[in-house]
Structures are given as structure tokens and as C-alpha cells.
Amino acid sequence: MSKIQDNNRQIITTREMHTGGEPLRIMVSGLPEIKGQTILDKRQYCKDHLDDFRRFLMHEPRGHKEMYGAILVEADDETCAIGVLFIHNEGYSTMCGHGVIALGRYVIDQKIIMPNNESSVFNIQCPCGPVKVFVESKNGKTDMVKFHSVPAFVYLLAEKIKVDGLGLITIDIVFGGAFYAFVIDRDVGLDLRKSTTKQVCDIGSAITRAVKEKINIKHPESEGLSFLSGIIITDGKDDYMEEATMNCCVFADSQVDRSPCGSGATSRIALQYAKSQIKLKQKRRFQSSATKSEFIAMAVQEVTYHGRDAVIVEVGGRAYYSGSSQFEMEDEDPLKDGFLVN
């Protein structure tokens, strides 16, 4: 690990937040320079040269298997106020909705971006592209955050795939800043309202392995976005209704999203819209099976993206502060680089 030391100790400070129960550890100081001309170059640089910092901050004893983090970087897109890289137990995400919601509050509260009365609007450059953020304030305090992500589109519809232990199942694959495969709980022997999180995680992980082995995902614009981020298991309530519909996202190395998953909600709205189950501006409530927290989402605009029918989706939720941390590394610590217990 690169040495930024105080009396032979590595010191990194962070701000801790959560959105719908899903943590976001924001790096404040102590990281070395992240090099690269573009946001995807910076993401690759972290993979190649600074991945020990990810493990240091995400893994035990400072983190845990379900930890999630954000590293603010300089944007190379002139329309964006800041850039961000997202990290988790396995690597680096291309988009993170719960992270954007938390960062919306954070960058205004820290005056990284100066607030504008009761509503602040700015762009954050994520690895998937520019994301428009709307931060509401009430009585001088940041509150609800909404975002418009990059165009969301259906990649594969009703694809058959064989999964060990499940047999032949049907999945849809959708891009909403990241690629997700969707399945309905009852089709894979689950009930999100009754099944344990471990049961959901085990089946989600099995489907992830099968998709990665058998389907070659290609993003129309960038090889750096061409991979499956996770599996979203839903309750199948996709026709428009006012009541909440439940889902669970299993991503990275069997990591379970505690929130309803913001980029997953983006993708699920795009899927529902493509199937004519919802119309523009019809709001859906998405509920996490893990915490029962909710996001609100809707398709706001039809667009064409590299010849594909796509939509711009608005997702909204609330994030909260949970603390601040100062993490240390002592050179003589045999477990200083972090570890995970599977």
C-alpha cells in the first residue's frame, strides 16, 4: 500500500452515510492521487494500482462483506461538478443509485457544490456517464434527493438460461447505469416476503454465475461497462399499481443490497416501460426485501440510445449520516490489508 503515514501509521478519514440501510463510506482524506484522463481511466487505475486501499476500507476488520464506498474524483466531463468511483467487496461499480442519493446531500452539506436555496441541481460524473442530481432542502437542511441516470434500455428479453440447482429459467437483462438480470421470485422457488436473505442470496449468486458463464454482455459504447453487475429478484408485481413492489439485489461477491437499489430501480422501470406495464410519469414504489426501505421511480422521457429504445428514469430517496471514521494501518499488523470470512 502507498504510504501516507503518521508515526508509521496509515491514516484514512471517511464520512459514513446510509441510504435505505445500504452503507456508503465516503473517502475524505488519506488516499493517494488517482491518475487517468477519463473517469473510466481512473477506475482502471484504481483496479491496477490502488486496489489494496479498496480492500483496506471495504473488508474486515474496518469494513465487512456488505460494505460500500465512494471516492470523489475530478470530473473530465465539463458538464459535471464532480466525479465519483464506487467500490464494494469485489471491485468497482459503474453506477450506484443509493450512492448518488447520499452524495447529493454530502456535496451540498460540505459545500463542495454551493447550495441554491430550496433546490440544487448539478451533474455527478459516474463511470457510466453523467447523472443529473436534484437535492431538496427544507428549513436549511438537505432532504430528499432525486436523480436522472443515463439512458436505460432492455438488453435481452425473456432469455432462457440453465442454472445449477434450478434448471432452465427465464431472465431479462437491462442496463440502468449497470447491467442487471431480472427474475421473479416464484419462478426460482422463492417468496421475497418469506424467504430468508441467505436463501435469496444463494439463488441470486447461482444465477449470477450462470449468466456470467453463458452470456457475453456488450455495452454499445464502452468495454468498461460490459459486465453483469448483479441479479435482481422481484415479487413480479410489475403492472402499474400504487402499492409498493418488492425486490432484492444480489451483486458483487454475493453482496446483498439493503436498499431497493437505485440503478436497479432505474433498470426495472425501463423493463416495465418496455413491456407496456407503465406509462411515462407513472410513479412506482420499490421496496427492499431486506429493510423494507423504499425508493420512488418513474420514466420521465423516451430517448434513443445507440439505436435502442431507452428511457430516462427518475429515482428518489433519502440518505442519512451515521458517523465519521479515522482508519489506521500499523505496518506490523499481520491482517493490515483486510480480509473477508466467507
Side-chain angles (χ1 to χ4, degrees), residues 51 59 89-90 97 127 139 180 189 191 198 205 242 246 251 289:
D51 199 53
H59 292 183
N89 71 13
E90 184 184 51
N139 300 318
Y180 293 97
D191 181 341
K198 184 180 186 306
S205 298
E242 292 186 1
M246 185 173 284
F251 68 103
S289 65

Side-chain angles (χ1 to χ4, degrees), residues 149-154 174-177 263 266-271 303 305 308-313:
S149 191
V150 295
F153 59 89
V154 174
V174 187
F175 181 80
S263 51
T266 300
S267 300
R268 197 170 170 200
I269 284 286
L271 181 59
V303 294
Y305 183 71
R308 293 178 178 268
D309 292 336
V311 286
I312 301 298
V313 177

Side-chain angles (χ1 to χ4, degrees), residues 72-136:
L72 295 181
V73 297
E74 184 177 352
D76 60 87
D77 184 331
E78 62 182 15
T79 70
C80 298
I82 58 166
V84 62
L85 303 175
F86 298 113
I87 57 177
H88 50 60
N89 71 13
E90 184 184 51
Y92 303 80
S93 298
T94 58
M95 172 57 187
C96 175
H98 93 270
V100 167
I101 290 170
L103 287 172
R105 287 197 67 194
Y106 176 79
V107 299
I108 294 296
D109 291 341
Q110 295 299 310
K111 294 184 170 51
I112 296 170
I113 296 170
M114 295 305 296
N116 183 19
N117 297 323
E118 295 183 356
S119 180
S120 301
V121 182
F122 53 90
N123 287 350
I124 294 178
Q125 186 181 19
C126 299
C128 64
V131 174
K132 193 171 187 177
V133 184
F134 307 80
V135 182
E136 299 175 6

